[in-house]
Amino acid sequence: MEQVFAYIIGLGAAVMMPIIFTVLGVCIGNKFSNALKSGLYVGVGFVGLSVITGLLTSSLGPALAKVVEIYGLELNVFDMGWPAAASVAYNTTVGAFIIPVCLGVNLLLLLLGCTRTVNIDLWNYWHFAFIGAVVFFLTDSLGWGFFAAIICYVITLVMADLTAKKFQSFYPGMEGISIPQPFCQGFTPFAIVIGKALDLIPGFDKLNIDAEGMKKKFGLFGEPLFLGVIIGIAIGCFACPTWEAVVDGIPGILGLGIKMGAVMELIPRITSLFIEGLKPISETTRQLIAKKFGDKKEFYIGMSPALVIGHPTTLIVSLLLIPVTLVLAVFLPGNQFLPLASLAGMFYVFVMILPYTKGNVVKSFIVGLVVIAIGLYFVTLMSGDFTSAAHQVSAAHPDDAAVRVPEGFKAGALDFASSPFAFLIYACMRYLSYIGAGVLTVLTVGLVIWNRKRINK
């Protein structure tokens, strides 16, 4: 089973999702040609997104590494990035069975009327496998590993249901879609609470500026493209130890600026391919449900947050937070994690924050600042057991370079390891043992029962 699912996951999202969408489209009544076309659009979207994020990582990584070297910013938790977290997740027994187990749980909850979301975002199942793998190595119990993964999965499904309408109303073209990804959903409560707290500040409503408002107010300076160029040039300058080096490195500095601007401009264009591929599936699904159940039933297709990371506010705030996160990592007392490889995942932090801040750039930035600061501590506190898991996976799979932790460092990753959901489950199992398991069980069962009553009502 481990080999079978390792092969399937090894195909990557760009291959998996076209197959899934084609099969799904045919099953709900679309013509094979239309279903295949929808699947291919989604696959092409993932390829394009992979190329752009690869450009961001390859361009920004060396410059940030130089900044770290020049200013002596090294901390003892090494940023392994999401590939290491995914490898730890899937190269275990928990990871080998995570897809059929979670799909079974999803089907059961659908039949019991406890959720409306059908989570077909199989690629991101590694998030559930990750927390399951860490708890598995922590407790040396396969049962507890699956317990942690299932708890995370169920909580995420409930959150996807609760936020679906808000998500659909904010992002155009997302009717019938929800986001059952725990990394994104973990920040929703912060967006709600911090957003309401900011609204209580007298005069804060005057700072209600969205991405379009920034363009009108600041002109060219409010464009994500221009901001990308400026931030890229600034980072390039900081990567030079002297003014002479800045002058000598002008071609490279300008090149970094253009590449950062290209990333900001191309991501929205690429994510439009996802929407084009989704439309036939979502429309046919709604028609099918209306025909079979009338207005009594409503289901959501659980999809990847990659669909909407091209929103202008997401791009602007993510870009501004990249240098701020580096400063936070250095000066926050007690933090030992310096994010570098994980910074390309910054866009995913804001997917479920924006519907609750209504795209307000200032409010989104403040929420992002808070959750990133807290997330750095989560990664630091989890780094010991993450390192232990990475070492054990590396020993079993010596050819997997992604999970090799550099000597003298601990392992960390902003991707999911900084998620409130991941840390809540980890902390309960790490520090409270059976009591923590009981708390998680009561919380999850309570959420499921409440969600069922809400759906029935």
Side-chain angles (χ1 to χ4, degrees):
M1 288 296 292
E2 185 176 331
Q3 291 175 359
V4 169
F5 282 103
Y7 175 78
I8 294 173
I9 297 302
L11 294 174
V15 176
M16 284 176 59
M17 297 313 289
I19 295 172
I20 293 169
F21 265 77
T22 302
V23 172
L24 178 62
V26 171
C27 288
I28 62 176
N30 282 346
K31 291 181 179 179
F32 176 77
S33 58
N34 292 337
L36 179 60
K37 185 178 179 181
S38 294
L40 290 176
Y41 269 125
V42 174
V44 170
F46 274 109
V47 170
L49 199 57
S50 176
V51 170
I52 295 302
T53 53
L55 173 65
L56 177 64
T57 304
S58 62
S59 303
L60 199 58
L64 291 176
K66 197 69 179 175
V67 172
V68 169
E69 180 185 333
I70 292 170
Y71 298 100
L73 305 181
E74 288 187 6
L75 300 171
N76 66 8
V77 178
F78 182 76
D79 188 358
M80 304 283 286
W82 74 263
S87 291
V88 168
Y90 280 129
N91 287 310
T92 62
T93 307
V94 177
F97 288 92
I98 196 69
I99 292 178
V101 167
C102 285
L103 285 177
V105 170
N106 198 166
L107 178 61
L108 178 63
L109 292 177
L110 284 167
L111 292 174
L112 293 175
C114 298
T115 186
R116 287 173 167 168
T117 296
V118 184
N119 186 0
I120 66 168
D121 184 20
L122 300 187
W123 173 249
N124 280 317
Y125 273 42
W126 75 261
H127 290 91
F128 311 112
F130 173 78
I131 192 60
V134 171
V135 171
F136 165 55
F137 287 119
L138 170 67
T139 61
D140 197 26
S141 168
L142 188 59
W144 285 123
F146 277 114
F147 169 80
I150 291 169
I151 288 290
C152 187
Y153 189 78
V154 173
I155 292 175
T156 304
L157 283 178
V158 173
M159 288 297 298
D161 285 350
L162 295 176
T163 59
K165 290 298 183 184
K166 199 83 171 177
F167 172 81
Q168 293 164 17
S169 63
F170 181 78
Y171 294 105
M174 291 293 115
E175 293 80 9
I177 305 297
S178 66
I179 302 295
Q181 200 232 36
F183 181 68
C184 297
Q185 289 292 353
F187 303 124
T188 303
F190 289 87
I192 296 171
V193 173
I194 296 173
K196 289 185 176 179
L198 291 174
D199 288 337
L200 297 176
I201 300 175
F204 190 86
D205 57 331
K206 295 180 180 178
L207 298 175
N208 187 18
I209 304 173
D210 60 9
E212 289 301 318
M214 283 192 67
K215 292 178 185 178
K216 293 177 182 177
K217 193 175 183 67
F218 300 107
L220 180 63
F221 292 92
E223 294 276 357
L225 168 61
F226 188 76
L227 284 172
V229 173
I230 295 300
I231 295 291
I233 289 174
I235 292 173
C237 290
F238 278 112
C240 298
T242 63
W243 282 111
E244 290 80 6
V246 171
V247 174
D248 293 339
I250 284 177
I253 292 171
L254 294 177
L256 178 60
I258 294 297
K259 288 176 183 176
M260 289 288 287
V263 169
M264 296 300 109
E265 184 67 21
L266 291 175
I267 283 181
R269 299 178 185 236
I270 289 170
T271 53
S272 66
L273 291 170
F274 291 116
I275 299 174
E276 195 165 346
L278 270 176
K279 276 186 177 178
I281 299 289
S282 61
E283 288 174 3
T284 305
T285 302
R286 287 201 305 275
Q287 291 170 7
L288 180 65
I289 292 170
K291 183 179 179 182
K292 294 286 185 182
F293 303 104
D295 296 329
K296 296 180 181 179
K297 292 285 185 180
E298 185 176 16
F299 294 103
Y300 310 128
I301 300 174
M303 276 298 299
S304 168
L307 297 173
V308 293
I309 64 168
H311 192 280
T313 299
T314 294
L315 298 176
I316 291 170
V317 177
S318 300
L319 191 64
L320 294 174
L321 269 179
I322 287 176
V324 172
T325 300
L326 290 177
V327 174
L328 277 177
V330 174
F331 291 104
L332 280 177
N335 172 61
Q336 292 298 316
F337 175 63
L338 182 67
L340 291 175
S342 295
L343 290 176
M346 188 74 74
F347 304 108
Y348 294 90
V349 171
F350 296 97
V351 168
M352 293 310 305
I353 289 176
L354 262 56
Y356 292 91
T357 61
K358 298 178 181 178
N360 184 322
V361 173
V362 178
K363 192 179 288 188
S364 300
F365 180 84
I366 294 171
V367 175
L369 190 65
V370 172
V371 299
I372 290 297
I374 294 172
L376 293 174
Y377 286 116
F378 287 167
V379 177
T380 299
L381 291 170
M382 200 187 295
S383 62
D385 289 306
F386 186 4
T387 306
S388 175
H391 282 319
Q392 294 188 57
V393 171
S394 182
H397 302 272
D399 295 332
D400 191 348
V403 292
R404 290 182 199 151
V405 184
E407 192 171 345
F409 287 89
K410 293 181 180 179
L414 200 63
D415 309 85
F416 196 51
S418 66
S419 167
F421 285 179
F423 188 77
L424 171 66
I425 296 169
Y426 166 78
C428 284
M429 300 304 297
R430 178 76 172 81
Y431 302 110
L432 300 176
S433 189
Y434 291 109
I435 296 175
V439 170
L440 289 172
T441 301
V442 171
L443 171 65
T444 305
V445 171
L447 280 173
V448 167
I449 293 173
W450 175 73
N451 195 43
R452 188 177 187 277
K453 288 182 178 178
R454 188 185 65 86
I455 290 171
N456 289 338
K457 184 178 179 180

